[in-house]
Amino acid sequence: MKLKTTLVGALIASTCLAGMAAAQTDITMWYHGGGNEVESALINQIVSDFNAANADYDVSLESFPQGSYNDSVVAAALAGNLPDIIDVDGPVMPNWAWANYMQPLSIDESIIADFLPGTIGRWDGELYSVGLWDAAVSLYARQSTLDELSLRAPTLASPWTKDEFMGALEAAKASGKCEYAFDVGMAWTGEWYPYAFSPFLQSFGGDIVDRSTYQTAEGALNGDAAIEFGEWWQSLFTEGYTPGTSQDPADRDTGFIDGKYCFSWNGNWASVAAIDGGVDDIVFLPAPDFGNGSVIGAGSWQFGISATSENAEGANAFIEFALQDKYMAAFSDGIGLIPSTTSAADMTENYAQGGPLNIYFALSAEQALVRPVSPGYVVAAKVFEKALADIANGADVADTLDAAVDEIDTDIERNSGYGH
Amino acid sequence: MASKLTTSNRAGWAFALPGFGLLTLFIVVPFFFAFFLSLTNQRLISPNPTEFVGLDNYRNLLSISVLSIEPETDDAGAVIRDADGTPEYPRVRTFTRNNPDFQQYAGMREWFRWHSGDTAKVVVATDLVFWKSLRNTLMFVLVVAPVQGAIALGLALLINQRLRGINVYRAIYFMPVVVSIVVVSLLWRFLYAEDGLLNSILGTFSFGMFEGRDWLGNKDTALGAIMAMSIWQAVGFHMVIWLSGLQTISPTLYEASSIEGASKFQTFRYVTWPGLRNTAVLVLIVITMQAFALFAQIDVMTNGGPLDSTSTVVFQAVERGYGKQDISGGSTISVILFLLVLTISITQRYLTREK
């Protein structure tokens, strides 16, 4: 009996001691960049800097491959096992916020006052996510190609019009210089389609959903502007300007560098590879203006806090800590992303004034339009992708867009309007 | 003859328990779960409560009907014809979209049409992609099951000989089975590419007569290409099953038939084939079920395209349930697939029963 009491006492005492020693709060974090060595080193650097600077918190990081990251988060959320900090793709954030996977951030708004608009994620009037970088897309070309075909170099202030752009493609095709005039990257599936191609639609005057209500796609995705866009899109393939849906992914990666394609529609993340690949007279041109301005996509991976986190204070502290110019600059130099602020851009090799990729910063600041901010976007994006692939493969434009509108509308209705 | 082990009920159940338990946990319970979910509007991600919707999911998936369209007429009531004499028809979307006179066709899309006189009969479906997927899956099963079974039998007969180094051939034929289907699919994507190996081989052997084509990018060849690759990949597995069947046939029967002076074909027809009866039933049913589950090749190689020509039922179930976050829709497809496979398996079993 006495022995038992002693044992229990000892147990209690040791637990208390251990508890006191662990006054540090453990904070868990998931990140999508598993498998990328440079990226892992960068994010680990932030984590260890933060842990060294804060005695109260201990952040531990777990990385996932990008391909299975979203599935892991959804599975963990269904099982109630989310970590404190997650990173989230910008357009997916409203879906997770609406589903109560995430909680609003409570970081000081003054910190993000100068951030590029695409790096800040708001849903329902609240700040849910913020990113260290943005991504942008431009038209890759060689200065020598432009000169040879005597084409005007488009600028931010005066991009190519639709006619000029089609004239350029026609000239490139007629010159026989390349196998295809224009590579839009059909080999990349998934989020690339809405991210890279819906800006064309928006420049024509359409959109994936009607952004005034977010309750329907009728008129936006199948209106006159959208049908005009669809016909233009189809003509890229029927006229032989662009490789189709069965494009070899390897060609997508190196086709422009090898001279297979005269123009390529590609992101800032591939620019360094193109320059290093030996295209020394590369120019990055703004998107053509199809009538409603020149538009590109915005919004990349961002940090947020899970709804179930009991350490929101520490998680917010970590995110605030990560939003330092030096880290943004490091990510930019390491993996070619666009830093979220001008001051960070000035610290980078590529995006500083006069840097080779400086134009992307201006593109993001001036022409970027985020994808529809709605929980239903996740489904609409899939529908949009299929519609564009079908049109590229020769489906009837109006019928395909009508069907896409029906599918998006049914989904919105079945989700009771997605909380808008 | 009955030993204690074959008559003891307790031992029998104990042996069956691990198998039954796992089957129940991973097959039977999820099936009932799927059946229940198919009657609700369950979403993968949603804060909204789950509601019971009855048979709505089945109705959305399976609604199909025939729309008769009369040709366009001019003011005098004569049919307008183009230069070839083909009548012109109004577009199907004028009936299926925002047309209060044709409410029953709202939201439907054209699948295919035929003509009876000047009237066009158009088959329209609410979920066109599902119907196309169903057709593709059945086509796949109808081609792959007999062809793969037959080639596997041929290979098994070939390698069932006492030859020096026969094990090397056995290994070669069996190798594709061991490689992950995802890896095989990625490799065959390169083979099928427009400037890929297949086109250059065909070009060389036809002395340049053969024009290279984009096998996976053309809706007429994509499904066929996937069939060929799938047959090649799994044929070794069935070859091994046939081989084990062949080796159960008693050599005395072959000796007897050779003494009787039977030809090679007669030996096969009257000794080998009857001896393979049970193996044949097994191989046929296994191939059929595997063919219905076609998914990985589609997911890696074509994503169901071009124009849904390679979309399959399982691909649709995953795409809907996971990609489009519609668990109830995905469950509905799974239930339909289950009933379909069950019906076909029972029919096969009935047709191949011991008479």
Side-chain angles (χ1 to χ4, degrees), chain A residues 37-360:
Chain A
E37 250 175 72
V38 185
E39 199 169 354
S40 294
L42 290 165
I43 190 83
N44 278 318
Q45 184 66 45
I46 302 183
V47 170
S48 62
D49 286 0
F50 177 79
N51 288 341
N54 289 274
D56 300 344
Y57 304 112
D58 184 56
V59 175
S60 61
L61 178 78
E62 206 173 323
S63 282
F64 293 74
Q66 185 166 340
S68 59
Y69 179 79
N70 285 2
D71 294 347
S72 308
V73 169
V74 171
L78 294 175
N81 280 332
L82 279 176
D84 296 304
I85 306 170
I86 52 176
D87 77 330
V88 51
D89 200 5
V92 173
M93 181 276 292
N95 189 272
W96 291 359
W98 169 75
N100 299 325
Y101 288 9
M102 298 173 71
Q103 56 176 297
L105 301 179
S106 57
I107 62 172
D108 190 349
E109 289 268 345
S110 68
I111 297 178
I112 54 169
D114 298 334
F115 275 45
L116 285 171
T119 61
I120 296 169
R122 285 182 205 278
W123 162 247
D124 219 7
E126 305 250 32
L127 175 70
Y128 274 93
S129 60
V130 55
L132 303 192
W133 59 78
D134 204 349
V137 172
S138 75
L139 189 63
Y140 286 32
R142 286 174 167 80
Q143 186 59 48
S144 56
T145 312
L146 295 181
D147 295 342
E148 215 171 299
L149 305 174
S150 36
L151 298 166
R152 171 180 81 87
T155 60
L156 266 180
S158 84
W160 275 339
T161 61
K162 184 187 173 196
D163 290 342
E164 276 183 293
F165 178 57
M166 296 315 286
L169 294 192
E170 186 52 54
K173 186 181 161 191
S175 74
K177 254 175 74 83
C178 342
E179 206 169 300
Y180 286 99
F182 182 35
D183 158 43
V184 293
M186 297 298 280
W188 287 352
T189 51
E191 196 52 37
W192 171 249
Y193 272 60
Y195 171 67
F197 306 149
S198 71
F200 294 139
L201 168 65
Q202 287 146 1
S203 184
F204 270 96
D207 210 333
I208 296 179
V209 297
D210 181 348
R211 292 197 198 209
S212 60
T213 60
Y214 287 104
Q215 296 301 304
T216 179
E218 184 79 44
L221 189 50
N222 63 350
D224 293 339
I227 289 177
E228 201 192 327
F229 155 78
E231 275 164 0
W232 167 78
W233 177 250
Q234 194 161 50
S235 76
L236 289 179
F237 303 92
T238 50
E239 305 289 322
Y241 293 126
T242 302
T245 46
S246 55
Q247 181 190 26
D248 183 347
D251 278 350
R252 169 55 176 166
D253 289 336
T254 59
F256 175 76
I257 300 172
D258 299 341
K260 255 186 165 173
Y261 308 130
C262 283
F263 298 100
S264 181
W265 186 238
N266 208 335
N268 57 284
W269 56 88
S271 304
V272 176
I275 296 171
D276 291 349
V279 191
D280 43 17
D281 63 340
I282 194 167
V283 281
F284 303 107
L285 310 176
D289 178 354
F290 294 99
N292 284 271
S294 183
V295 185
I296 57 165
S300 187
W301 288 86
Q302 300 167 356
F303 292 117
I305 302 177
S306 74
T308 48
S309 169
E310 287 162 6
N311 309 312
E313 204 178 312
N316 273 298
F318 175 80
I319 293 176
E320 261 186 44
F321 182 84
L323 296 175
Q324 294 181 47
D325 281 353
K326 60 174 178 181
Y327 295 130
M328 299 184 199
F331 266 101
S332 175
D333 285 337
I335 48 180
L337 297 157
I338 304 172
S340 302
T341 63
T342 326
S343 45
D346 287 339
M347 295 163 68
T348 67
E349 292 167 33
N350 294 322
Y351 295 94
Q353 285 295 331
L357 307 181
N358 180 257
I359 177 154
Y360 283 112

Side-chain angles (χ1 to χ4, degrees), chain A residues 352-412:
Chain A
Q353 285 295 331
L357 307 181
N358 180 257
I359 177 154
Y360 283 112
F361 196 82
L363 285 173
S364 272
E366 288 176 31
Q367 303 185 337
L369 178 62
V370 289
R371 283 151 277 177
V373 185
S374 164
Y377 170 78
V378 179
V379 178
K382 283 255 169 199
V383 176
F384 180 79
E385 178 186 357
K386 178 163 160 32
L388 256 62
D390 283 354
I391 291 174
N393 285 319
D396 182 86
V397 173
D399 285 355
T400 307
L401 292 176
D402 279 345
V405 166
D406 284 346
E407 197 174 346
I408 292 173
D409 283 7
T410 308
D411 179 65
I412 294 174

Side-chain angles (χ1 to χ4, degrees), chain A residues 71 74 78 95-96 98-101 189 218 222 246-249 260 378-379 382 386 390 393 395-396 398-399 402-403 406-407 411 414-416 418, chain B residues 40-41 43-48 57 60 91 93 97-98 107 109 129 189-190 193-195 214 216-217 303 306-308 319 322-326 328:
Chain A
D71 294 347
V74 171
L78 294 175
N95 189 272
W96 291 359
W98 169 75
N100 299 325
Y101 288 9
T189 51
E218 184 79 44
N222 63 350
S246 55
Q247 181 190 26
D248 183 347
K260 255 186 165 173
V378 179
V379 178
K382 283 255 169 199
K386 178 163 160 32
D390 283 354
N393 285 319
D396 182 86
D399 285 355
D402 279 345
D406 284 346
E407 197 174 346
D411 179 65
R414 291 185 48 162
N415 282 283
S416 320
Y418 277 118
Chain B
T40 68
N41 68 349
R43 320 286 303 180
L44 179 66
I45 297 181
S46 174
N48 298 338
N57 285 316
N60 291 338
R91 291 176 64 109
R93 68 195 287 252
R97 282 190 72 78
N98 309 323
R109 293 173 72 194
V129 181
R189 240 178 97 167
F190 293 115
E194 206 160 0
D195 47 3
D214 185 359
L216 292 172
N303 258 315
L307 298 178
D308 304 320
E319 179 72 5
Y322 230 68
K324 292 182 180 160
Q325 307 191 345
D326 180 5
S328 63

Side-chain angles (χ1 to χ4, degrees), chain B residues 77 97 137 141 158 213 288:
Chain B
R97 282 190 72 78
T137 308
V141 172
L158 266 182
R213 63 191 66 192
T288 308

